[in-house]
Amino acid sequence: MSGGITRPGPFALLSAVAAAGLLRLAGVKPVAPPEPDHGPHNPEGFEDEDVDVRRTAFVVAGLAGSVAVAIAAVGLMMHLFGVWHVGGTPPLTPQQTAKVQPPPPNLQGAPYEDLARQEARERAQLTTYAPLPDGHARIPVARAMQLIAGTSLDSPALDPSAVDPLPPAGGAPAQ
């Protein structure tokens, strides 16, 4: 084997558990950790002096000064770049500076009259006779219901398979 690390088996902790059990049966108690030394000047473990206010004030003032310098630098750069950018552009024409009024929204002027016209148009399609462009005729729904009401839906007049098929092309007899 090469000098690699081997994995412990499932019973690797068995010997440690047995040793701990024997020590407990023998009455041996574990040694308690030592108390931490708080030092002669601070028996409770707290700081014995306050924060240095002067140093804290200098740090805060330094941070505020750094932020102010950064803001001033950004403002100066924006001003300089803006002047350079505007200086190279031509002046705006009167057409570009004219105030543009957008058109008003396209609303219906008389929606109730429009609805009445649409309903009249649809009612006329359902209740009047008229020729259609494909050669058929439109009849009123009530008349169509009267015509179809007395006929069976299984009648040969309505069954497309009851119609004789067309003879084959070329005049050959159908088989």
Side-chain angles (χ1 to χ4, degrees), residues 2-169:
S2 63
I5 299 174
T6 61
R7 288 183 70 170
F11 300 108
L13 291 179
L14 191 59
S15 60
V17 171
L22 287 174
L23 286 174
R24 182 167 283 186
L25 287 175
V28 177
K29 294 190 179 205
V31 179
E35 289 286 325
D37 184 23
H38 298 296
H41 306 295
N42 193 2
E44 288 114 20
F46 297 114
E47 295 179 6
D48 57 348
E49 59 184 56
D50 291 333
V51 176
D52 188 7
V53 177
R54 181 172 293 166
R55 285 185 188 170
T56 305
F58 282 137
V59 169
V60 170
L63 287 174
S66 299
V67 169
V69 168
I71 290 173
V74 169
L76 177 66
M77 286 190 298
M78 288 177 61
H79 174 71
L80 292 176
F81 291 146
V83 168
W84 291 338
H85 177 69
V86 171
T89 58
L92 297 176
T93 64
Q95 186 179 11
Q96 291 172 329
T97 58
K99 185 177 179 183
V100 177
Q101 182 68 24
N106 295 326
L107 299 177
Q108 289 178 306
Y112 296 110
E113 288 85 7
D114 294 342
L115 181 62
R117 277 194 299 272
Q118 177 69 24
E119 288 175 347
R121 202 169 28 249
E122 290 174 354
R123 193 175 314 107
Q125 285 182 348
L126 295 175
T127 60
T128 60
Y129 293 91
L132 297 177
D134 61 355
H136 292 90
R138 183 180 69 223
I139 64 172
V141 173
R143 177 67 181 141
M145 289 174 27
Q146 287 173 353
L147 291 173
I148 203 77
T151 61
S152 170
L153 295 178
D154 295 329
S155 69
L158 296 177
D159 188 13
S161 63
V163 178
D164 293 331
L166 293 173

